[in-house]
Amino acid sequence: MSFAPLDPILHNQLRLAVVSLLVGVESAEFNFILEKTGATRGNLSVQLTKLKDEGYITITKGYRDNYPLTTCKLAPKGIKAFEQYVKAIQDYLKP
Amino acid sequence: MSFAPLDPILHNQLRLAVVSLLVGVESAEFNFILEKTGATRGNLSVQLTKLKDEGYITITKGYRDNYPLTTCKLAPKGIKAFEQYVKAIQDYLKP
DNA sequence: TAGACTTGTTTATGATATAAACAACAAACA
DNA sequence: TGTTTGTTGTTTATATCATAAACAAGTCTA
């Protein structure tokens, strides 16, 4: 096999976008990610949960101005997985 | 949306590997692709058909030494799509 | 001619992605 | 006050997709 396997958790447009976003920042709020990715709330909620379940991100729930506030932060496992994914997909991109 | 959409036809490990392989060569036989990608015959058959239906590759069926011989070649549409995909996914890989 | 091999296709099913529907609470307004 | 609109997310229903197992059609060989 000349092609490294691609982490199926990251090989999804929205999840990859989320992790890519988080790599650049300390943390990000639900609505910020929503806007940057253009996703629907439902889809984003599902994919954030998946990333959390996988240990790629941590999710903190709080309140601000009386409204729920969900904050996401990349976990070490997520960082490693992202770096690994970036390395792996290079094999596919330059023939 | 800060992230360009990723062509769903190419955003699949096996199909991306196939197209990536084909970019480098004039054409490739079924078994060659099979070996290079490590896929199963069934899965490869399905994904090649999908790439053909999309107009990304052409498939030529013939015989060699009395056995069926399936040969694949990248079509112009496939080349463009691949270049576009490579460009698009860069947004996701460097934060 | 029976059995094993080659080359691929079809199909069955389990997983996945996504949007629609829902929920819980807050604020505005009548 | 109470009802209606807005905010922030979650749950669920469905349609699609990826994959391997089963199948098919022909070939070789003993």
Side-chain angles (χ1 to χ4, degrees), chain A residues 20-95:
Chain A
S20 179
L21 259 182
L22 290 179
V23 167
V25 300
E26 242 299 298
S27 69
E29 298 169 10
F30 189 96
N31 275 336
F32 176 78
I33 301 175
L34 198 64
E35 190 187 338
K36 288 294 184 183
T37 60
T40 61
R41 291 177 194 280
N43 193 14
L44 182 56
S45 176
V46 169
Q47 307 309 335
L48 287 180
T49 298
K50 199 161 230 169
L51 287 170
K52 185 201 66 181
D53 289 349
E54 205 68 17
Y56 284 13
I57 68 174
T58 58
I59 297 183
T60 307
K61 281 166 194 313
Y63 282 89
R64 183 171 58 196
D65 299 340
N66 295 328
Y67 285 104
L69 179 67
T70 295
T71 306
C72 305
K73 184 171 166 32
L74 204 56
K77 187 172 177 188
I79 299 178
K80 272 178 212 147
F82 181 74
E83 289 171 350
Q84 174 60 33
Y85 177 86
V86 170
K87 201 175 300 178
I89 203 169
Q90 301 304 334
D91 298 347
Y92 296 77
L93 303 181
K94 38 184 179 195

Side-chain angles (χ1 to χ4, degrees), chain B residues 31 41 45 61 68-70:
Chain B
N31 275 337
R41 292 177 193 283
S45 175
K61 281 165 196 311
L69 180 67
T70 297

Side-chain angles (χ1 to χ4, degrees), chain B residues 24-77:
Chain B
V25 300
E26 243 299 297
S27 68
E29 299 168 10
F30 190 95
N31 275 337
F32 175 79
I33 300 176
L34 198 64
E35 189 185 339
K36 288 294 185 183
T37 60
T40 61
R41 292 177 193 283
N43 193 14
L44 183 56
S45 175
V46 169
Q47 306 309 335
L48 287 180
T49 298
K50 200 161 230 170
L51 287 169
K52 185 201 68 182
D53 289 350
E54 205 69 19
Y56 284 13
I57 68 174
T58 58
I59 296 182
T60 307
K61 281 165 196 311
Y63 281 90
R64 184 170 58 196
D65 301 339
N66 294 329
Y67 284 104
L69 180 67
T70 297
T71 305
C72 305
K73 185 172 165 29
L74 204 57
K77 187 172 177 187

